[in-house]
Amino acid sequence: MQGWNRSSRFAQQSFALWVLVFAGIAWMFPEIFQWIGPAITPLLGIIMFGMGLTLKGADFRLVFQRPGPVLAGVCLQFIIMPATAWIVATALGLPPELAAGVMLVGACPGGTASNVIVYLSKGDVPLSVTMTSISNLLAPLLTPFLLWWLAGSWLPVDPGSMVLSILQVVILPIVLGLLVRRFFPVTVRRATEALPLISVTAIVIIVAGVVALNADSLGKTALPVILAVILHNGLGLLLGYWCARALRLDEPRSRAVSIEVGMQNSGLAVALALAHLNPIAALPGAIFSVWHNISGSLLATYWSRKGRAKTRPTQAATG
């Protein structure tokens, strides 16, 4: 058990590094990873199944106990990220495939890695977990509609088939995970130690596969996509925090909302782009997978140090 704990912690802490390493290898030697394309959707299903295994009744009870912060956070999630995606894609004049890919990332729900980042940033972890759960459960309705509304003029979007895809790769695995946790709690408690390692491995493989599929065009599109992803993610984190503060949420809740808004389920964006758009449209999701973990970790470090700095004068005064 301790071995799994150490391996999972190491995988989480070095996640961005592994993604960068394998993305670089996939770019230089795409033939090694091109076989991954058809496996991306099942891999995402494994990640969402793992999310279902970690969910508890308390994660949903918070919706009824503290509906205000949860409702505010989820609304901001599905307003800020789609709106800023459209603004960034339009302002940068991205080609239609890349613009649709950026907006697909914006229309997706919150990512599971956000919960760890919120914990490290001394934010409200129960609120973060609840927001992630609710936004992913709302995804079959909101993600296809938002993409059709925002990107329909760039590329043809079939909301109906996208709804079915999200039900298959998000909702069904989460429900199965919840059921397995309900009926096999002891086994699940033992298995959850390995879940972070499995999720990190799956995301690294997904990113490598997308890079390999786009290796030929990546040299021309890398810089504008990276710029779009950095702007999109940064605006999400910034606006998420200040909108939460404007709604009079306290500091821990505002931090949770900021990170939940800025960190997306980019793996879902990749899977949907490959299934319903094209491989180039999957690039923003793949790059977002790398960048939002880097920016989230930097923000968590800043907030945690800021919290320690505030406690030092108090400790000195009482000492």
Side-chain angles (χ1 to χ4, degrees), residues 172-188:
L172 181 59
I174 289 177
V175 171
L176 287 175
L178 285 166
L179 291 173
V180 171
R181 182 186 178 92
R182 171 68 179 82
F183 292 107
F184 305 98
V186 176
T187 304
V188 168

Side-chain angles (χ1 to χ4, degrees), residues 21-296:
V21 168
F22 276 86
I25 296 172
W27 191 0
M28 292 185 289
F29 307 102
E31 64 279 0
I32 299 175
F33 298 97
Q34 285 175 342
W35 62 269
I36 294 170
I40 287 176
T41 297
L43 285 169
L44 180 61
I46 291 171
I47 295 170
M48 301 315 296
F49 176 73
M51 176 182 171
L53 289 177
T54 63
L55 293 178
K56 304 181 292 294
D59 300 330
F60 299 99
R61 203 175 302 129
L62 191 64
V63 178
F64 303 100
Q65 294 173 340
R66 295 190 296 171
V70 176
L71 180 62
V74 173
C75 287
L76 291 174
Q77 167 85 50
F78 285 111
I79 293 172
I80 290 174
M81 291 307 277
T84 53
W86 186 88
I87 291 169
V88 167
T90 303
L92 294 179
L94 296 179
E97 295 86 357
L98 293 178
V102 171
M103 281 180 272
L104 178 54
V105 173
C108 281
T112 55
S114 60
N115 307 146
V116 176
I117 300 298
V118 170
Y119 170 76
L120 295 174
S121 69
K122 302 188 184 302
D124 189 326
V125 177
L127 175 60
S128 171
V129 173
T130 304
M131 280 185 61
T132 301
S133 307
I134 298 300
S135 66
N136 276 276
L137 293 176
L138 290 174
L141 294 175
L142 295 181
T143 297
F145 169 75
L146 288 168
L147 183 66
W148 169 78
W149 183 37
L150 294 172
S153 59
W154 270 280
L155 286 178
V157 176
D158 184 353
S161 62
M162 197 169 286
V163 167
L164 292 176
S165 291
I166 298 174
L167 288 172
Q168 291 170 355
V169 301
V170 176
I171 302 302
L172 181 59
I174 289 177
V175 171
L176 287 175
L178 285 166
L179 291 173
V180 171
R181 182 186 178 92
R182 171 68 179 82
F183 292 107
F184 305 98
V186 176
T187 304
V188 168
R189 274 198 299 273
R190 293 172 181 168
T192 48
E193 305 295 341
L195 287 178
L197 179 59
I198 294 171
S199 295
V200 166
T201 303
I203 294 172
V204 169
I205 293 172
I206 288 172
V207 172
V210 173
V211 171
L213 291 172
N214 290 281
D216 292 338
S217 58
L218 195 55
K220 299 176 183 177
T221 59
L223 285 179
V225 175
I226 291 171
L227 178 59
V229 164
I230 291 173
L231 288 173
H232 188 202
N233 171 247
L235 286 170
L237 294 170
L238 184 67
L239 293 175
Y241 178 81
W242 286 111
C243 286
R245 296 300 284 169
L247 293 171
R248 299 185 178 180
L249 298 186
D250 60 21
E251 183 67 17
R253 292 177 185 175
S254 296
R255 292 180 183 183
V257 170
S258 169
I259 292 166
E260 282 297 321
V261 169
M263 296 187 70
Q264 298 291 86
N265 189 341
S266 45
L268 176 61
V270 167
L272 293 176
L274 290 174
H276 301 282
L277 300 176
N278 56 50
I280 293 178
L283 267 179
I287 295 173
F288 203 98
S289 294
V290 182
W291 175 251
H292 77 166
N293 283 283
I294 296 173
S295 64

